[in-house]
Amino acid sequence: MLNTLKKPPPLQVQNWLNTRFTPTLEALVGKVVVVFAFQMLCPGCVLHLIPQAKRLYDYFDSNEVAVLGLHTVFEHHQAMTEVSLKAFLYEYQVRFPVGIDKPASAKGDPLPQTMRAYNMQGTPTLLIYDKLGYLRQQKMGHEQDLALGAQIMSLMKET
């Protein structure tokens, strides 16, 4: 867990898939929010992160825990289009909302806007927010299911 609580920057999303509403962090206050930042061509994301996110989405009550994906493309830009992502989500049966990170705002910068704002080092990256909207954990790499579940339950019990 992070030592200091801070309001995080907003997610910079150009389009949301698998949802009819825009799931902003502000709109999700009152829920624990778990964001899985991934790339569909990232082996660790495909093997570990996507299955874990699907398990969390299926296990936790959506009134208490929001599970979101963030497709954050920092390489192979031409291969990872929205059309390709839609096919990926269909093939892997991903039903939770997935945002597409806005492309870099500076010319020549390969990092999309949310990835840059959060200083992410790559994918997969896990972001966990408490019910008040504070960023409580940011971790690159895979988190074990048991540890992640315990963190979420701990945040759910906070008043």
Side-chain angles (χ1 to χ4, degrees):
M1 295 280 176
L2 296 174
N3 291 336
T4 58
L5 296 181
K6 63 179 182 174
K7 283 288 187 177
L11 302 176
Q12 299 295 322
V13 174
Q14 70 180 14
N15 192 22
W16 284 98
L17 305 175
N18 294 345
T19 185
R20 289 182 222 161
F21 76 100
T22 302
T24 64
L25 295 175
E26 296 82 22
L28 296 171
V29 167
K31 300 180 183 186
V32 174
V33 179
V34 184
V35 177
F36 293 91
F38 73 100
Q39 288 192 107
M40 64 182 151
L41 294 180
C42 161
C45 298
V46 174
L47 293 172
H48 303 292
L49 180 129
I50 294 297
Q52 182 178 62
K54 288 171 54 176
R55 287 190 299 272
L56 283 180
Y57 181 76
D58 290 340
Y59 181 79
F60 285 102
D61 182 341
S62 64
N63 292 315
E64 296 185 67
V65 177
V67 175
L68 305 175
L70 179 67
H71 193 242
T72 183
V73 179
F74 59 92
E75 59 188 356
H76 310 300
H77 292 84
Q78 292 178 338
M80 292 197 267
T81 64
E82 184 172 331
V83 171
S84 298
L85 179 59
K86 285 179 180 178
F88 174 88
L89 298 176
Y90 175 80
E91 291 298 324
Y92 283 88
Q93 300 175 15
V94 173
R95 298 180 329 202
F96 53 85
V98 174
I100 301 170
D101 203 352
K102 285 185 180 178
S105 56
K107 201 169 199 167
D109 183 359
L111 298 183
Q113 292 181 32
T114 305
M115 188 175 202
R116 172 72 61 208
Y118 280 78
N119 197 29
M120 292 182 199
Q121 302 302 304
T123 57
T125 294
L126 175 68
L127 304 170
I128 303 175
Y129 306 85
D130 65 20
K131 293 186 284 186
L132 298 176
Y134 290 102
L135 180 62
R136 297 293 288 271
Q137 180 177 3
Q138 178 171 337
K139 178 184 179 182
M140 183 179 166
H142 180 255
E143 180 69 271
Q144 295 298 318
D145 283 354
L146 187 58
L148 180 56
Q151 291 169 16
I152 292 169
M153 289 301 296
S154 176
L155 292 173
M156 288 173 64
K157 291 183 180 220
E158 286 184 356
T159 54

